[in-house]
């Protein structure tokens, strides 16, 4: 190794430009990107969808599709230019020195293999001469390192037997299995609730300090950057807007785009009034009562050859009773597995409860019956987290919206004249009606999902994490849109989220769920400033301190 290589940063990207080869000619994707990463450092790359941050991460990993072409610049590992060595040598160098942690742990793990066997495969690929006993000891040590309890026993468990946070820890263990110098982590916590996210970020920071590994963290969450990164690179439209130490960028941003990103981050207010304080700390049931009583739901733990084992069930909701404020937004928060999404699906008639009733005005329906028999279908509309999944990819936007008008609970015709007006209302060009979902951005698709729900003319909307997959600036636009629609159309909304800052900004009353039960409830002001519930306080404390005041 030369002296230059010895003193070189672990990773250096110099004037990198990428383009996409399309039938109409090359399309520039990245423009003159330069950055570096030292050993034992965490550098964050932040920007909205389309900024090029994931493309940059994949370029460093060597995972770009063939249609992408490097038109200029270099990527160096410890001073070694990957473009100047044989492609097979470059691939081997990347495999040995760089690993990856991706957003969706479910796609990173094979559901048919034990987690121990999957980590062992990575170890054998890096060190083929290790004997089986040494490989087993290494796997157990890695599981313990990422804080999986009872690692020896859980070695043989499959991914579905772990929680979401535990599966992400296992993916991190796999990334560490080949003893890399650098981990490229692409949105490693965006699918996790706040408390689990905080644990994973603390684990990554601990691994950096303990092992000297470096992390290039790709994210759209400024709170994640504030929590873990040493330096941050802000990207926009394939360019670097600015880069500096995290404290400098967060406290004294030099670029207008960075300032707009920071301004869009929702902040939790721990003192003073949160929202409209005319709402009491407990709900007095109004004339138009909306809510549920005694909602109970269990799921089977799995099938077994022993009949007795098939009767074992897990309680998702345990005798839940709640009221919604008519013409207002009521929040439901809690960690993953708390039962909040199950509650929303039952209320929307998409899932049957084991027991309980749902009340809309003077009508009371049995929540354990099919929604087609209860009449809930259409009267309650649902907005899902991922609009890409909830919109039919084979339908144009116009056809999807027409179906909503046709099958809505209070349909009055084919709604031909209403589609354009609704597109105007949700801030979308009418020209998008002819397009398919894949031709729209994430924010545009979520606006279509909101339009579809409204065109059915429901009495109630259940919004399940409708902004968690969106960039902060797009999220702010969607939240403003929801508030305006509720005020104008007097729609009642049940808003489900694990982001307490979003709930505080939007909701007048909040229920806090824990393990299928209501752990706390009250006006938004009470929950965030005066609640003494240890669980509620733990959720609030999981929020990055920089974004609370």
């Amino acid at each position: 190794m030369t002296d230059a290589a010895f003193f070189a940063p672990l990773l250096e990207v110099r004037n990198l430009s990428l383009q996409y080869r399309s039938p109409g000619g090359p399309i520039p994707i990245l423009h003159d990107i330069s950055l570096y990463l030292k050993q034992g450092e965490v550098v964050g790359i932040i920007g909205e969808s389309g900024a090029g941050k994931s493309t940059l991460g994949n370029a460093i990993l060597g995972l770009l599709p063939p249609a992408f072409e490097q038109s200029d610049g270099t990527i160096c590992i410890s001073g070694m230019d990957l473009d100047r060595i044989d492609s097979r040598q470059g691939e081997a160098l990347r495999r040995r020195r760089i690993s990856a942690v991706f957003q969706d742990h479910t796609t990173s793990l094979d559901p048919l293999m034990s987690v121990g066997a999957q980590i062992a495969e990575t170890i054998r690929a890096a060190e083929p001469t290790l004997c089986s006993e040494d490989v087993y000891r290494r796997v157990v040590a890695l599981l313990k390192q990422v804080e999986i309890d009872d690692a020896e026993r859980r070695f043989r468990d499959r991914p579905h037997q772990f929680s979401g946070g535990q599966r992400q820890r296992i993916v991190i263990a796999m990334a560490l299995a080949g003893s890399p110098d650098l981990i490229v982590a692409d949105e490693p916590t965006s699918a996790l609730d706040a408390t689990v996210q905080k644990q994973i970020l603390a684990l990554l920071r601990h691994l950096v300090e303990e092992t000297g590994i470096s992390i290039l963290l790709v994210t759209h969450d400024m709170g994640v950057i504030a929590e873990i990164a040493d330096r941050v690179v802000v990207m926009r439209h394939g360019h670097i807007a600015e880069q500096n130490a995290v404290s400098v960028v967060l406290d004294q941003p030099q670029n207008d785009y960075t300032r707009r990103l920071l301004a869009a981050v929702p902040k939790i207010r721990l003192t003073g009034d949160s929202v409209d304080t005319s709402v009491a700390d407990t709900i007095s049931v109004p004339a138009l009562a909306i809510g549920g009583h005694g909602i109970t739901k269990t799921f089977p733990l799995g099938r077994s050859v022993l009949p007795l084992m098939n009767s074992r069930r897990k309680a998702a909701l345990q005798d839940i009773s709640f009221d919604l404020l008519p013409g207002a937004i009521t929040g439901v928060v809690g960690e993953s597995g708390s039962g909040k999404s199950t509650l929303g699906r039952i209320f929307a008639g998409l899932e049957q409860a084991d027991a309980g009733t749902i009340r809309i005005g003077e009508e009371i329906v049995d929540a354990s019956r099919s929604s087609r028999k209860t009449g809930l279908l259409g009267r309650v509309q649902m907005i899902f987290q991922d609009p890409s999944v909830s919109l039919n990819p084979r339908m144009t936007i116009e056809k999807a919206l027409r179906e909503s008008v046709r099958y809505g609970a209070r349909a009055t015709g084919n709604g031909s004249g209403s589609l354009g007006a609704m597109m105007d209302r949700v801030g979308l060009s009418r020209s998008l009606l002819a397009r398919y979902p894949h031709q729209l951005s994430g924010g545009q698709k979520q606006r279509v999902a909101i339009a579809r729900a409204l065109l059915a003319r429901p009495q109630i909307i259940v919004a399940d994490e409708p902004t968690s997959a969106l960039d902060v600036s797009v999220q702010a636009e969607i939240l403003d849109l929801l508030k305006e629609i509720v005020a104008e159309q007097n729609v009642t909304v049940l808003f489900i989220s694990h982001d307490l800052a979003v709930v505080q900004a939007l909701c007048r009353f909040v229920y806090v769920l824990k393990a299928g039960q209501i752990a706390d409830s009250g006006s938004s002001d009470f929950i965030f400033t005066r609640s003494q519930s240890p669980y509620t306080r733990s959720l609030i404390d999981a929020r990055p301190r920089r974004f609370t005041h």
Side-chain angles (χ1 to χ4, degrees):
M1 184 181 293
T2 65
D3 289 343
F6 183 81
F7 291 108
L10 172 64
L11 169 72
E12 188 173 12
V13 179
R14 302 175 190 155
N15 309 113
L16 181 67
S17 294
L18 292 177
Q19 58 188 19
Y20 177 78
R21 294 193 298 273
S22 73
I27 301 172
I29 303 296
L30 296 182
H31 308 267
D32 196 29
I33 300 295
S34 294
L35 58 88
Y36 69 93
L37 179 67
K38 296 182 291 187
Q39 191 75 42
E41 187 179 34
V42 180
V43 171
I45 301 178
I46 194 164
E48 296 174 294
S49 297
K53 54 190 188 295
S54 290
T55 300
L56 175 59
N58 286 332
I60 292 166
L61 288 164
L63 297 180
L64 288 175
F68 283 83
E69 179 180 68
Q70 185 172 323
S71 55
D72 197 11
T74 59
I75 300 173
C76 300
I77 301 293
S78 298
M80 186 176 296
D81 187 344
L82 295 177
D83 295 322
R84 293 181 180 274
I85 59 177
D86 180 84
S87 60
R88 283 182 296 181
Q89 287 181 306
E91 186 179 327
L93 181 64
R94 280 186 167 105
R95 259 199 325 265
R96 191 172 68 252
R97 305 285 302 276
I98 309 175
S99 191
V101 174
F102 296 108
Q103 175 179 1
D104 189 355
H105 46 72
T106 58
T107 59
S108 301
L109 296 170
D110 187 334
L112 302 180
M113 289 178 67
S114 72
V115 298
Q118 294 182 63
I119 298 171
E121 274 194 347
T122 307
I123 294 172
R124 289 193 183 96
E127 302 180 65
T129 60
L130 279 182
C131 67
S132 296
E133 189 175 339
D134 287 341
V135 170
Y136 171 78
R137 280 199 293 264
R138 180 80 189 282
V139 172
V140 169
L142 283 167
L143 289 173
K144 289 180 177 178
Q145 191 174 19
V146 297
E147 300 171 9
I148 297 294
D149 294 332
D150 202 2
E152 291 86 356
R153 181 182 64 83
R154 306 221 66 182
F155 179 99
R156 294 175 178 80
D157 285 350
R158 287 176 169 77
H160 73 274
Q161 295 172 283
F162 295 85
S163 69
Q166 287 174 325
R167 286 195 290 268
Q168 195 65 300
R169 290 172 186 272
I170 290 163
V171 171
I172 293 170
M174 289 178 65
L176 294 169
S179 301
D181 298 309
L182 168 64
I183 291 178
V184 177
D186 192 348
E187 301 281 10
T189 62
S190 63
L192 305 174
D193 59 63
T195 51
V196 178
Q197 173 180 277
K198 187 172 184 177
Q199 294 166 8
I200 296 297
L201 293 178
L203 171 64
L204 291 172
R205 187 76 243 184
H206 174 71
L207 291 172
V208 169
E209 293 167 358
E210 181 183 57
T211 67
I213 199 168
S214 302
I215 296 177
L216 189 68
L217 180 68
V218 176
T219 183
H220 67 257
D221 190 332
M222 195 66 82
V224 170
I225 293 293
E227 197 80 0
I228 188 176
D230 299 303
R231 290 186 295 111
V232 60
V233 177
V234 182
M235 292 188 67
R236 186 188 188 200
H237 301 327
H239 296 269
I240 290 180
E242 68 175 293
Q243 58 179 312
N244 214 320
V246 167
S247 59
V248 174
V249 172
L250 295 184
D251 293 334
Q252 299 174 313
Q254 300 300 304
N255 187 277
D256 287 340
Y257 174 68
T258 308
R259 285 192 280 269
R260 289 198 299 273
L261 276 184
L262 288 167
V265 178
K267 300 174 179 63
I268 291 180
R269 292 179 294 278
L270 302 180
T271 58
D273 295 337
S274 310
V275 290
D276 184 357
T277 54
S278 64
V279 181
D281 288 345
T282 58
I283 292 181
S284 57
V285 180
L288 177 59
I290 300 173
H293 179 75
I295 305 293
T296 298
K297 177 69 176 179
T298 61
F299 293 102
L301 284 174
R303 300 196 61 81
S304 169
V305 293
L306 301 174
L308 185 62
M309 299 296 287
N310 287 332
S311 64
R312 297 174 61 207
R313 301 181 72 84
K314 177 183 178 182
L317 295 171
Q318 304 177 55
D319 195 25
I320 293 284
S321 296
F322 62 96
D323 293 291
L324 303 185
L325 290 169
I329 305 175
T330 300
V332 177
V333 301
E335 297 173 290
S336 298
S338 63
K340 56 188 188 295
S341 289
T342 301
L343 179 65
R345 290 178 65 83
I346 289 172
F347 197 69
L350 300 180
E351 202 164 295
Q352 292 173 240
D354 296 342
T357 58
I358 291 171
R359 181 180 64 253
I360 302 178
E362 297 190 3
E363 185 178 358
I364 298 176
V365 299
D366 185 350
S368 67
R369 300 178 67 198
S370 166
S371 59
R372 295 189 180 277
K373 296 178 181 178
T374 62
L376 282 177
L377 201 63
R379 296 175 66 187
V380 184
Q381 287 289 310
M382 192 134 185
I383 302 171
F384 296 96
Q385 175 178 359
D386 188 352
S388 301
V389 175
S390 62
L391 295 174
N392 190 330
R394 298 185 179 184
M395 281 187 182
T396 64
I397 302 306
E398 180 175 4
K399 188 173 182 180
L401 296 183
R402 285 191 187 281
E403 280 212 337
S404 185
V405 173
R406 180 183 175 188
Y407 294 109
R410 295 177 282 176
T412 56
N414 62 14
S416 298
S418 64
L419 298 190
M422 182 57 72
M423 292 291 279
D424 296 341
R425 178 65 201 86
V426 298
L428 291 174
S429 168
R430 297 189 183 196
S431 64
L432 298 180
L433 286 168
R435 296 191 186 181
Y436 289 86
H438 74 273
Q439 296 173 301
L440 273 60
S441 70
Q444 288 173 325
K445 282 183 280 196
Q446 198 59 290
R447 288 173 185 268
V448 169
I450 292 171
R452 182 178 62 178
L454 291 170
L455 283 166
R457 302 181 68 194
Q459 292 171 273
I460 302 155
I461 290 176
V462 176
D464 190 359
E465 302 278 10
T467 62
S468 64
L470 305 176
D471 302 317
V472 287
S473 57
V474 179
Q475 173 180 268
E477 294 170 2
I478 296 296
L479 295 180
D480 287 341
L481 175 61
L482 282 174
K483 286 190 283 189
E484 290 170 9
I485 285 169
V486 168
E488 291 172 7
Q489 302 192 17
N490 201 38
V491 180
T492 299
V493 177
L494 179 66
F495 187 86
I496 298 166
S497 180
H498 65 251
D499 191 330
L500 269 67
V502 168
V503 168
Q504 185 184 38
L506 200 63
C507 302
R508 295 176 67 191
F509 197 91
V510 180
Y511 288 95
V512 182
L513 262 60
K514 180 184 180 184
Q517 296 179 309
I518 294 176
D520 200 4
S521 64
S523 69
S524 184
D525 178 61
F526 168 79
I527 289 294
F528 289 97
T529 67
R530 289 180 281 133
S531 173
Q532 298 303 307
S533 164
Y535 180 65
T536 301
R537 301 317 305 176
S538 72
L539 293 179
I540 293 171
D541 291 343
R543 181 76 178 175
R545 293 182 182 275
R546 183 176 286 272
F547 297 107
T548 61
H549 63 270

